[in-house]
Amino acid sequence: MPGFADSFWSSDYAAGLGVLFGKLQQGVMENRQVLTIARLRAEAEETYGQRLSDITPSADRVNGGFSRDDGATVRKAYDGMRAEMQDAARSHQRIAQNIRDLVVNPFSRWCDAHEARVQDSQDELQSHVKAHDRQSDAVRKLRSNYFNKCRLVEDLEEENKLGFQDPETSPKPNQPNIPEIKVQPLKEEEDPDDDELYEIGDDVYQPEQLKKILSNMLSTIKMGETKVPILGTYLNTSAGSDIVEYLQRSMGISSVSYAERIGQDLVTNGFLRLIGNVGSTFANSSKLFYQWRPKAFKCAGLPEKKLNRTFSLPATGSDGGSDSPVVGTVSEYLANWNVLGTRDPNETPSMRLQREAREADDKYKAGVRKLDELRCGLEEAIFLHLKFLERCELDRLKAVKTVILDFSGAIGNVIPSLQSTVDKMVLFQETVQPAGDLRYLLENYRTGSFAPRVVVYENYYNRVDEQTFGVDLEARARADKKRVPVIVTTILTYLDHHYPDLEGDEARRGVWLVDVPLAQIHQLRAKVNNGKAISSDVFDEFDVPTVAGLLKLYLLELPDGSEASRVAVLQQTLSQLRLTNIATLDACMNHFTRLIDLTSADEEYVASLAASLASCILRPRTETSLTLEEKHASRLVRDLFAHKDPIFSELKRMSTLSHSASVGSSRPRAVSTDESNRKALMEERNRALVEKATASRSRATSPAPGPRGHRRDRSSGGPDTRFPIQTSPTTDRNRVSLGGIEGRLKRSSLDVPALDGGPPSDGVNGSPQGKSTDSDGSDKRDSGSRVGTKFIGGKRVPGTPPQESTPSRGVTLEDKPMDD
């Protein structure tokens, strides 16, 4: 009997598990029903005992009765009834307590634990399934993205091929030359600023003089960083008061206004700029900060202080721009802002698309690998939980059986008068068969055996170099350059070499029947599922049953055929039937499909109709217990209903081609593969050989200009010994083949009767047909009725008759296709 681990699988994993947990939750409800019966019975016994105990006090409250007669027999009977009532009350109270102690309390705790076990398994498997489904959706999106990127790369490559071809309308050599404008590049050694003079204050400075002044200023004046809200942090800044103080101290300037004038000239010449405020005014203030521009560092010959993250903001000075660094909120945002969306500014669109395709491919591969790991983990968890839940369900059924026994014992041990009730309850308990109920559950609610569905990595260029399991068998063999995939031959060879290492034939046979843990097989699968050459050394880490289980898992994970392949197989199978069978089947299916369409039949009717017609279309030679339950015939009829047009249209095309070939060989019916036609086929073959020999002799005796050498088709023997092949392999001359009859009819219809009633003449020289008179008067066999006959492409075509011949008389037979 198959277990849970072989019975509740489905393509999406969730459907089979849903059926199983539906039945397990039904078992939980059954436990509650049994517990409810026991609890209510205990309450009823308690209430009944309490009411019985109330009878005696109620009777004692009646005055003037049996209390006056101490020795009367009626008093004794009354006292006996009174005592029995009290004993019965105590008995029913004991029954209630026994039911609570033996059934209600322990079974209630067990039911809670069982329900928790089922719920925990359901929650855990549901989380695995949800993770698998989420990853499946992610893989589908990654695959779509990868394929889209590859298409974009291909489209761009095609555009480049077309775009960079030599134009057909290129300028002709005699056309005038297009004028070119050449720009002389500026020499690097030429510097337009070398001879520039700078007016600062009341003096004019040469570049060398200014260099010394700026070098001293940049080295002496306090310089730092200034943070401006929103704009960020400015480097190489100095306060206006610090600059004025330096000018007064180092350059001997007494007035502050003249120092501010010098500072303003520094701003005007592009050595300083005001930050954090609008305008470009220089003032002696500790609140106004000025940034030294790169021009000042360049003139002074000093390196500029910079940070890694910089961005240039337009200046408000007279030159309209600056390269002074700004670091902060805006600069960081703008520095990371990539307008073109490329990592490398030198990257071309083609390079970017190829890079994105590679990245999408890597993400898709990683997603497929993760999905495969999740799928394997899900299957392992399902196997473990299904085996665990099977034990839980069997324990539940055994527990219910025990509860019924305890329940009957709780009553029967107290009240012997309820023995009949107890006996019936014991009988009910004996009828409970936990194994039978478990088998009933499996037979009626199983959803399918273990059939893993692998989501394989689909390469855009149809390469299967990185995966072995789940790949189409033909694609895997083609990649291995073998007729059989390497993994199959490697496993089988390894098993052949290790069978002798096992002790006894029983162990060798049991290799394929051992229940190997799926996690162990998945561990070996992960080592060989790389699409590369497989070495048998990796199998040495595992036992022989695990290697055998790997082959079974590989075969289980092979993809199923598509709908088109199923239709092709049906076409190939039905094409072996005779033409009449195919035409009859087509007519029947035409009728039934038209009936289904006209009556708008539902799925239930289609299934019933297919089951009704199944034995009429396909049935076994002998009925057995296995064939009584098979569904192949009804499935065939269902497929014929669903795919009638593609199946029979192809069969008609194939039969037409076969019929054309048969007409070419002068046989007006399709060639059958049935052995019953073997005799007719042999006769047809022999007749064709005789006709070919006759035509060869007619060509051998044809006149030729000049002497001819020895011909291979001539023989020294007579016409009777040239082709020692009988036209019919049977000695019964009354039984001839259809081809023989046809040949006779054609020959007799083309013969011209002789005038004297003798042998028919050939219509040329009046001689009997089949004979010709040589110069010496001897008869010589010629082409006879085959004069003017040619064989083209295997067909007999009448040639052009001689001009001097009389027109042939008689009936002409034509080969036409059968109107099927």
Side-chain angles (χ1 to χ4, degrees), residues 322 382 743:
S322 175
I382 290 176

Side-chain angles (χ1 to χ4, degrees), residues 95 174 176 374 458 578 660:
I95 291 173
N174 54 0
L374 290 176
E458 299 178 34
R578 291 176 295 182
S660 300

Side-chain angles (χ1 to χ4, degrees), residues 369-624:
R369 285 193 294 269
K370 183 178 179 181
L371 177 61
D372 198 56
E373 294 176 359
L374 290 176
R375 182 189 60 81
C376 293
L378 172 61
E379 292 173 354
E380 294 170 10
I382 290 176
F383 260 103
L384 294 176
H385 281 273
L386 288 182
K387 293 181 179 179
F388 171 72
L389 293 172
E390 184 177 1
R391 293 196 302 270
C392 291
E393 182 64 14
L394 187 60
D395 292 342
R396 185 191 73 83
L397 297 172
K398 292 180 180 179
V400 172
K401 182 175 182 178
T402 303
V403 163
I404 296 175
L405 181 63
D406 295 339
F407 187 78
S408 61
I411 300 175
N413 293 334
V414 177
I415 305 178
S417 61
L418 300 177
Q419 191 62 41
S420 61
T421 304
V422 172
D423 293 340
K424 292 180 181 179
M425 296 180 69
V426 171
L427 180 61
F428 298 154
Q429 182 267 342
E430 291 179 353
T431 58
V432 176
Q433 301 294 331
D437 290 353
L438 194 63
R439 183 170 58 252
Y440 172 80
L441 188 151
L442 288 170
E443 291 176 352
N444 291 275
Y445 294 97
R446 62 181 306 186
T447 59
S449 58
F450 175 55
R453 298 292 186 271
V454 184
V455 178
V456 297
Y457 162 72
E458 299 178 34
N459 188 270
Y460 184 78
Y461 305 100
N462 295 326
R463 291 193 294 266
V464 292
D465 299 334
E466 299 187 8
Q467 197 166 0
T468 300
F469 285 75
V471 178
D472 182 71
L473 192 67
E474 184 177 357
R476 183 69 261 167
R478 186 169 59 252
D480 294 339
K481 298 180 180 179
K482 302 289 184 181
R483 188 173 298 275
V484 179
V486 173
I487 185 173
V488 177
T489 56
T490 304
I491 293 176
L492 295 178
T493 304
Y494 178 84
L495 294 176
D496 287 338
H497 291 167
H498 285 75
Y499 280 142
D501 299 339
L502 302 177
E503 297 181 359
D505 294 338
E506 189 68 25
R508 299 184 184 98
R509 291 192 297 265
V511 166
W512 296 95
L513 303 179
V514 175
D515 187 11
V516 183
L518 185 62
Q520 189 170 342
I521 300 177
H522 279 163
Q523 184 179 359
L524 177 57
R525 176 186 181 273
K527 292 180 178 294
V528 300
N529 188 24
N530 52 11
K532 304 297 186 295
I534 301 172
S535 174
S536 59
D537 297 337
V538 72
F539 298 151
D540 296 336
E541 304 177 10
F542 301 87
D543 54 3
V544 177
T546 303
V547 179
L550 180 68
L551 178 59
K552 292 191 288 185
L553 182 63
Y554 172 76
L555 298 177
L556 281 174
E557 292 187 355
L558 286 177
D560 296 333
S562 61
E563 197 74 19
S565 62
R566 290 180 63 250
V567 172
V569 171
L570 287 174
Q571 291 171 348
Q572 184 178 4
T573 304
L574 294 177
S575 65
Q576 301 176 12
L577 298 175
R578 291 176 295 182
L579 185 58
T580 304
N581 296 54
I582 296 175
T584 305
L585 187 61
D586 182 23
C588 294
M589 292 301 110
N590 220 355
H591 173 82
F592 290 123
T593 53
R594 188 167 60 250
L595 174 64
I596 293 172
D597 293 338
L598 292 177
T599 59
S600 301
D602 55 3
E603 186 66 22
E604 184 178 358
Y605 174 78
V606 174
S608 302
L609 180 61
S612 176
L613 297 174
S615 59
C616 303
I617 305 299
L618 182 66
R619 54 185 175 274
R621 292 182 180 274
T622 56
E623 291 284 355
T624 62

